[in-house]
Amino acid sequence: MVNQVNVDFSQNGKANKLATCDTCHWVNVYDESSHNRCQRCNSRLLQRKPFAYQKTLALTICSIIAFFPANLYPIMTILQFGKGQGDTILSGTLYMFQNGMAPIAAIVFIASFVFPLAKMIGLIYLLYSVRYPAKFSRRQRTHMYRYIEMFGPWSMLDVFVVALLVALVEIGNVLEVVAGPGATAFGIMVILSIFAAASFDSKLLWDDGSFNEP
Amino acid sequence: MTAATSQTPTILACRECDNLMHYPDLQEGEQARCRQCHHILLYRKRDPVNRSIAVSIAGLILSVPAIFLPIMSMKMLSISSTVSLSSAVYALWKNEIYFVALVTCFFCILAPVGKLIIALYLGIAVKLKRVTSRRYIPLIKFYQRIDSWEMLEVFMIGILVSIFKLRDDAELFFDLGLVSYILFMITIVGLKLSFDKELLWNKVPVHG
């Protein structure tokens, strides 16, 4: 148990040689020289996620790389009488927009193009702001990180649409939907970016400089 | 070996910014925010145990029709075909798109059903006052791990989008599966609003 008397509440946990368990949020005494485990749930204890900066950078770069095949390869092909042209995410959205389905097109465009892109740019910006002075306050950047984590799953939207259409449309030779290589690339991109967001440590944003910023 | 007693924590650290504070004494329905970064640190839900038991029983009953009944069907040139959550995964697997099939199966079937089963089991265990041993730790940990991988709402919007994509090509009909799917999704949201992990952790005895 942590003795409350010895804790300086104007300093953060790391300065007080404490570590919060990532799993159960129990506050433990942290001893740097040994392997620490949480008293309550026996998970490994860490004051900061190890190599959070490097891991997030690596995974973000990987998801940026996967972003290209995901958007350039066709995500699915609608075959009518055996003929049809592959649709990438953007051309599919454009088609829907031109055919008077603007609200749905907007949802798809935002979920599968704007969100992943914003997420990658956001993560790169957060990483940059850890090392170099940034324009936004730390509180704003923490909010930003929270939203990046929250909207991650919505990028899976298009993958699920492909899944449904492939299963639904199997009517002989008249109409058929075939999934393209873009679907796999897209799924990989989304999962990589979720891992990238999860490996970032928002405590890094608060570690530098003066502690009590307004 | 060691004398283990159930203890409520006296000190709390913010997960987002590592700010330290005294553990707040909250009533049900109240929440505490971090003074430094405004993150919601604690949120004590109203009547968490009873509600999460009720919601997870409802969800488990609804999961069967939601997964196996056809969500929608389409008709074209007198041929009709239907799709359900399970048949979508099966069709993807048959089309050799294994990765997408596995991901869909995990996000939309295994993760939500797993969450409901664990929530029901833990809820009953709390009711019977049995969460005093450390046996329950792996279950709570597992629940937390799959919590962020459940994507039913996204799949729901996916259904909507595919309806619009096919609207011009074929006649579409909605089936009972869609109703049970929507209800299933609502129970998962209800579980999110009623299941209190902090309460469970505070019942677990601490070593030393």
Side-chain angles (χ1 to χ4, degrees):
Chain A
M1 278 293 278
V2 177
N3 191 351
Q4 249 183 301
V5 183
N6 299 334
V7 174
D8 177 8
F9 282 95
S10 65
Q11 298 274 312
N12 68 6
K14 196 182 181 185
N16 275 300
K17 294 199 170 56
L18 300 176
T20 317
C21 175
D22 272 331
T23 314
C24 73
H25 309 132
W26 179 260
V27 180
N28 293 269
V29 179
Y30 188 79
D31 178 12
E32 269 171 46
S33 57
S34 64
H35 287 287
N36 292 276
R37 295 217 161 248
C38 176
Q39 284 181 317
R40 181 154 75 173
C41 71
N42 206 33
S43 315
R44 206 152 76 93
L45 268 185
L46 299 161
Q47 284 184 315
R48 300 288 180 266
K49 291 177 195 167
F51 302 108
Y53 191 92
Q54 289 87 339
K55 270 188 199 165
T56 314
L57 187 61
L59 285 164
T60 312
I61 290 171
C62 287
S63 66
I64 290 172
I65 293 169
F67 188 72
F68 289 100
N71 280 290
L72 295 176
Y73 279 115
I75 193 160
M76 65 174 169
T77 314
I78 298 178
L79 295 167
Q80 277 177 316
F81 300 103
K83 274 180 280 181
Q85 208 188 345
D87 256 343
T88 63
I89 287 169
L90 287 178
S91 73
T93 322
L94 195 67
Y95 175 81
M96 282 198 287
F97 191 75
Q98 284 166 342
N99 284 272
M101 295 181 255
I104 289 288
I107 292 174
V108 174
F109 183 70
I110 290 171
S112 54
F113 191 77
V114 177
F115 277 175
L117 204 62
K119 197 172 174 177
M120 288 160 199
I121 294 170
L123 281 174
I124 294 283
Y125 174 75
L126 287 177
L127 288 172
Y128 173 84
S129 77
V130 170
R131 293 276 162 100
Y132 303 98
K135 218 173 85 185
F136 294 108
S137 77
R138 288 188 279 189
R139 196 174 280 165
Q140 281 170 323
R141 279 180 276 146
T142 315
H143 277 294
M144 194 170 144
Y145 175 61
R146 218 168 287 149
Y147 286 121
I148 286 176
E149 271 202 311
M150 206 193 298
F151 290 118
W154 283 96
S155 310
M156 284 303 282
L157 180 64
D158 245 38
V159 178
F160 291 151
V161 171
V162 172
L164 274 168
L165 289 183
V166 167
L168 182 63
V169 188
E170 278 185 299
I171 302 189
N173 297 322
V174 183
L175 192 67
E176 201 187 352
V177 173
V178 183
T184 305
F186 199 85
I188 289 171
M189 192 255 316
V190 173
I191 287 175
L192 278 175
S193 69
I194 290 176
F195 279 131
S199 63
F200 186 72
D201 195 337
S202 58
K203 288 169 192 164
L204 289 176
L205 297 170
W206 296 88
D207 272 345
D208 57 327
S210 64
F211 181 63
N212 278 315
E213 187 183 275
Chain B
M1 204 174 74
T2 39
T5 46
S6 173
Q7 286 155 325
T8 42
T10 53
I11 192 170
L12 182 68
C14 176
R15 252 161 286 166
E16 303 259 328
C17 68
D18 212 11
N19 185 23
L20 288 177
M21 63 214 85
H22 294 282
Y23 197 88
D25 186 20
L26 297 179
Q27 300 298 311
E28 281 189 3
E30 287 182 336
Q31 54 186 23
R33 278 177 187 272
C34 173
R35 201 176 301 129
Q36 189 169 244
C37 70
H38 293 185
H39 176 66
I40 298 171
L41 294 162
L42 285 178
Y43 177 28
R44 285 206 49 196
K45 289 146 184 178
R46 280 175 210 281
D47 199 7
V49 180
N50 290 332
R51 284 191 192 183
S52 56
I53 289 176
V55 157
S56 50
I57 290 173
L60 283 174
I61 294 168
L62 283 166
S63 70
V64 178
I67 292 167
F68 294 106
L69 279 188
I71 287 170
M72 55 185 175
S73 54
M74 67 175 267
K75 207 172 170 190
M76 196 187 175
L77 306 172
S78 76
I79 318 165
S80 67
S81 76
T82 58
V83 64
S84 65
L85 205 52
S86 51
S87 79
V89 172
Y90 179 66
L92 284 170
W93 187 266
K94 227 173 44 184
N95 278 282
E96 295 176 349
I97 321 165
Y98 302 118
F99 179 75
V100 181
L102 286 176
V103 160
T104 312
C105 182
F106 180 71
F107 288 169
C108 298
I109 299 175
L110 298 181
V113 171
K115 262 175 79 170
L116 289 169
I117 292 172
I118 294 172
L120 180 62
Y121 184 76
L122 286 174
I124 290 173
V126 171
K127 269 269 167 206
L128 300 176
K129 298 200 168 47
R130 276 169 50 194
V131 190
T132 45
S133 79
R134 299 173 64 83
R135 269 189 307 142
Y136 292 92
I137 292 175
L139 270 181
I140 315 176
K141 278 188 188 172
F142 187 68
Y143 180 92
Q144 291 191 332
R145 208 156 290 161
I146 59 175
D147 199 14
S148 48
W149 292 107
E150 163 268 307
M151 299 186 185
L152 283 177
E153 333 67 288
V154 184
F155 196 82
M156 178 69 229
I157 302 293
I159 294 173
L160 202 72
V161 172
S162 40
I163 288 167
F164 275 90
K165 279 207 172 179
L166 288 175
R167 198 176 55 169
D168 298 340
D169 295 323
E171 284 180 81
L172 285 169
F173 303 96
F174 305 111
D175 287 312
L176 200 61
L178 187 67
V179 179
S180 41
Y181 181 81
I182 291 171
L183 292 174
F184 180 51
M185 193 185 79
I186 291 172
T187 59
I188 289 285
V189 175
L191 186 67
K192 216 172 263 177
L193 295 174
S194 62
F195 191 77
D196 199 336
K197 286 170 282 191
E198 187 71 19
L199 179 94
L200 283 168
W201 281 124
N202 285 346
K203 287 192 187 299
V204 169
V206 179
H207 278 303

